[in-house]
């Protein structure tokens, strides 16, 4: 790699920060548009779930493959390809006229993100060779990524109100186009190296995860014996264990399961997975509650989440300092416990709750999330030698993303199972006059399908809204219980874990031969 001037290094950092900000922003800003997408495209809960799941599933399934392709064909080439695909997917999503094309466009976005994300940190490690300079660059890069998550809910509402739901996708197009021009000029060339693609592992993971999520999303809505749900569930039960066996036996795995021999790495991965499971799974449904049940405008719903996102930005550097002094156990366990308490607390409030009553919940949720982000990354960097740091980082990031996918699917299954019991199909049970009795287009019609011009009887709307709130409360309690169990497991794992070795201690983790970047 050629020697870079300080100005060129700043351009590289600016390019990577801008693209990561865009990718992280897109992860959360879409949630603000879901209620309006549901009304204008007539999408039910399962359709809205797939708009989120389509992106996350493809991204998670192909993240490690993106790292492998960057190693083999050059990180700049794969980064530019991923950014181009992400930008094209954003434009296609903005032009979508129905749920199907929108889900396909979101999957294209996920493919692009899977190609551009893995190489970003690796580029920084090679461009910034001085340890202090590299630490500042990685810190800024991480901060900008967190900022994307923080401002997404805030800017999403005003964008939806000003430009419609498609605006949350069109905003990516000029940023992506500028990023392509800047990256083509600023990023240095990195020579690829020979690396065998783990085609068997990639195929098994993609098929297994796709089958699992399909079963979890479709089962509660359409029945566990309908639409191929049993076949998908059986396929997932077969393919995912087979994927684990293949990864244990291959010489160049896309997911090195031997990393989990270290209890600290297992605790870090579990923390990342479970925070995404509980928090991002919940964040899918909160805009639906605030906008469709409570009647908030999209901009107001976005501003309501500002205290939570601000706490993430504040807590992330504080947790890094705490980890440096006391190790990862205090911040990780505290963060998981705060996330569990916040979900349990939120389940105590319904559609009549006032914002000041549950403000503490948002603050605790943001603090808990911020307390977990940095310790997970630090733990991975401390306990894996540099030759395998890229693989370890990609593994943890994949599990984080999968946590969000499974969280939306599982908590959505809990919610839609409860919604399926609402008696909207029997209007006589609700006292609706005969002249107003008509089929309701789905179990959550009151909360999702009824737009301003619809003539849905008020009794049916109220019943659907009440069922939605009741199902959301049950989903929140399930998420809180899972996070509480995770906090206990992480505390036990980190108590058993040996101290992190010094950089001169040699190979810190008994794993496969070096295959990382």
């Amino acid at each position: 790699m050629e020697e870079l001037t300080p100005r060129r290094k700043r351009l590289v950092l600016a390019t990577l920060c801008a693209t990561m900000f865009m990718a992280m922003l897109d992860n959360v800003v879409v949630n603000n548009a879901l209620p309006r997408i549901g009304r204008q495209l007539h999408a039910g809960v399962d359709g809205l779930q797939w708009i989120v799941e389509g992106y996350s599933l493809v991204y998670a399934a192909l993240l490690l493959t993106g790292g492998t392709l960057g190693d083999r064909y050059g990180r700049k080439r794969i980064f530019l390809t991923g950014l181009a695909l992400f930008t094209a997917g954003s434009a296609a999503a903005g032009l979508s006229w129905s749920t199907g094309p929108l889900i396909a466009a979101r999957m294209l976005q996920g493919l692009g993100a899977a190609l551009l994300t893995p190489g970003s940190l690796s580029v920084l490690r090679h461009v910034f060779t001085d340890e202090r300079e590299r630490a500042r660059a990685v810190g800024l890069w991480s901060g900008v990524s967190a900022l994307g998550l923080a401002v997404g809910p805030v800017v999403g509402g005003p964008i939806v109100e000003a430009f419609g739901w498609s605006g949350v996708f069109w905003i990516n197009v000029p940023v992506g186009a500028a990023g392509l021009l800047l990256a083509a000029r600023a990023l240095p060339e990195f020579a690829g190296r020979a690396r065998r693609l783990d085609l068997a592992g990639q195929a098994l993971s993609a098929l297994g995860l796709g089958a699992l999520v399909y079963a979890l999303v479709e089962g509660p809505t359409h029945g566990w014996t309908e639409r191929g749900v049993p076949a998908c569930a059986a396929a997932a039960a077969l393919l995912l264990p087979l994927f684990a066996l293949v990864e244990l036996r291959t010489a160049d795995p896309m997911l090195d399961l031997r990393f989990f021999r270290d209890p600290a790495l297992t605790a870090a991965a579990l923390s990342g997975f479970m925070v995404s499971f509980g928090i991002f799974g919940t964040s899918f449904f909160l805009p639906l509650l605030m906008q469709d049940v409570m009647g908030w405008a999209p901009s107001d719903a976005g501003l309501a989440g500002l205290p939570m996102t601000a706490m993430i930005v504040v807590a992330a550097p504080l947790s890094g300092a705490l980890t440096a002094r006391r190790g990862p156990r205090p911040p990780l366990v505290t963060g998981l416990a705060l996330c569990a308490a916040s979900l349990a607390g939120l389940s105590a409030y319904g559609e009549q709750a006032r914002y000041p009553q549950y403000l503490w919940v948002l603050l605790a949720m943001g603090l808990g999330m911020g307390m977990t982000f940095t310790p997970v990354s630090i733990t991975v960097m401390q306990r894996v030698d540099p030759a395998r740091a890229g693989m370890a980082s990609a593994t943890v990031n994949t599990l984080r993303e999968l946590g969000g996918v499974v969280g939306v699917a599982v908590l959505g299954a809990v919610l839609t199972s409860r919604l399926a019991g609402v008696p909207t199909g029997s209007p006589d049970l609700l006292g609706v006059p005969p002249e107003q009795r008509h089929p309701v287009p789905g179990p959550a019609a009151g909360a999702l399908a009824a737009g301003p011009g619809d003539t849905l009887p008020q009794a049916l709307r109220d019943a659907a809204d009440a069922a939605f709130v009741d199902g959301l409360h049950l989903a929140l309690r399930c998420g809180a219980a899972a996070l509480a169990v995770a906090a206990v497991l992480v505390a036990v794992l980190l108590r058993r874990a040996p101290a992190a070795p010094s950089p001169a201690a040699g190979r810190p983790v008994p794993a496969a031969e070096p295959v990382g970047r």
Side-chain angles (χ1 to χ4, degrees):
M1 189 186 76
E2 69 266 28
E3 186 70 24
L4 302 183
T5 64
R7 181 178 179 274
R8 180 85 175 273
K9 290 181 178 181
R10 289 194 294 270
L11 284 176
V12 171
L13 181 59
T15 301
L16 297 178
C17 286
T19 52
M20 283 302 298
F21 178 85
M22 177 182 67
M24 294 300 102
L25 183 74
D26 190 76
N27 260 336
V28 292
V29 74
V30 175
N31 288 342
N32 292 84
L34 289 178
R36 192 164 293 187
I37 292 173
R39 290 191 294 267
Q40 295 185 1
L41 300 187
H42 307 290
V45 171
D46 55 339
L48 296 181
Q49 282 180 281
W50 277 108
I51 292 172
V52 176
E53 299 281 16
Y55 175 95
S56 298
L57 182 59
V58 172
Y59 175 69
L62 299 179
L63 184 60
L64 290 169
T65 294
T68 304
L69 293 175
D71 282 345
R72 182 166 183 171
Y73 299 110
R75 296 184 183 94
K76 179 178 180 178
R77 179 185 301 176
I78 298 303
F79 182 91
L80 291 172
T81 301
L83 185 55
L85 290 173
F86 186 92
T87 305
S90 299
L95 294 171
S96 297
W97 62 94
S98 66
T99 305
L102 180 55
I103 294 172
R106 291 284 288 161
M107 289 181 171
L108 182 60
Q109 282 186 303
L111 172 60
L115 295 179
L116 70 90
T117 301
S120 296
L121 189 57
S122 181
V123 169
L124 288 178
R125 289 172 62 91
H126 286 82
V127 169
F128 296 92
T129 54
D130 179 75
E131 287 296 332
R132 291 186 177 181
E133 187 183 36
R134 179 188 296 166
R136 289 194 296 268
V138 173
L140 179 60
W141 178 80
S142 301
V144 170
S145 300
L147 185 62
L149 293 173
V151 303
V154 178
V155 303
I159 290 174
V160 171
E161 288 193 338
F163 305 106
W165 62 264
S166 62
V168 301
F169 300 110
W170 284 116
I171 192 175
N172 295 328
V173 176
V175 177
L180 278 170
L181 295 175
L182 191 59
R185 178 180 178 183
L187 291 187
E189 294 288 350
F190 294 94
R193 68 176 179 87
R195 183 175 180 179
R196 187 175 65 85
L197 293 178
D198 184 12
L199 296 178
Q202 181 57 52
L204 289 171
S205 65
L207 292 173
L209 290 169
L212 174 64
V213 174
Y214 180 89
L216 288 172
V217 172
E218 296 294 326
T221 304
H222 301 286
W224 293 101
T225 59
E226 303 293 333
R227 297 178 60 165
V229 172
C232 285
L238 174 66
L239 293 173
L240 292 178
L242 184 59
F243 164 69
L245 290 176
V246 168
E247 296 306 285
L248 285 172
R249 291 176 177 273
T250 185
D252 207 0
M254 60 175 290
L255 178 60
D256 193 344
L257 298 175
R258 285 162 284 195
F259 284 128
F260 302 113
R261 292 176 180 174
D262 185 342
L265 287 176
T266 301
L270 177 63
S271 299
F273 180 90
M274 289 307 304
V275 168
S276 294
F277 173 91
I279 301 301
F280 291 116
T282 300
S283 67
F284 172 84
F285 300 105
L286 288 182
L288 301 177
L289 173 68
M290 290 181 173
Q291 295 181 44
D292 284 318
V293 178
M294 297 177 128
W296 290 37
S299 59
D300 293 336
L303 290 173
L306 184 58
M308 179 181 72
T309 52
M311 288 301 296
I312 295 175
V313 176
V314 171
L318 295 179
S319 65
L322 180 59
T323 303
R325 293 183 60 185
R326 303 290 301 276
R329 190 169 185 257
L332 284 180
V333 175
T334 302
L336 288 167
L338 283 171
C339 289
S342 63
L343 294 190
L346 191 58
S347 70
Y349 299 101
E351 57 185 300
Q352 303 302 324
R354 295 182 177 273
Y355 183 69
Q357 292 177 287
Y358 56 87
L359 176 61
W360 71 270
V361 172
L362 302 178
L363 294 172
M365 192 180 297
L367 181 60
M369 293 176 67
M371 291 288 283
T372 61
F373 287 160
T374 307
V376 169
S377 299
I378 291 177
T379 300
V380 171
M381 291 301 134
Q382 283 182 339
R383 307 194 69 92
V384 179
D385 64 79
R388 289 172 289 176
M391 171 70 77
S393 178
T395 300
V396 172
N397 286 331
T398 299
L399 291 174
R400 268 187 181 141
E401 192 66 27
L402 285 178
V405 171
V406 177
V408 173
V410 172
L411 299 185
V414 173
L415 172 60
T416 52
S417 293
R418 182 59 60 94
L419 285 174
V422 64
T424 51
S426 302
D428 56 304
L429 299 178
L430 301 170
V432 178
E435 64 274 10
Q436 290 185 325
R437 298 179 186 177
H438 57 82
V440 179
L448 298 173
D454 291 340
T455 58
L456 190 65
Q458 189 61 43
L460 294 182
R461 183 188 298 272
D462 291 344
D465 286 350
F468 181 85
V469 173
D470 185 49
L472 179 60
H473 285 171
L474 180 59
L476 288 170
R477 294 181 187 117
C478 291
L483 283 165
V485 172
V488 174
L489 290 175
V490 167
V492 173
L493 287 169
L494 290 177
R495 181 186 292 270
R496 294 172 46 204
S502 64
R507 289 180 168 231
V509 180
E513 288 303 308
V515 294
R517 290 183 284 281

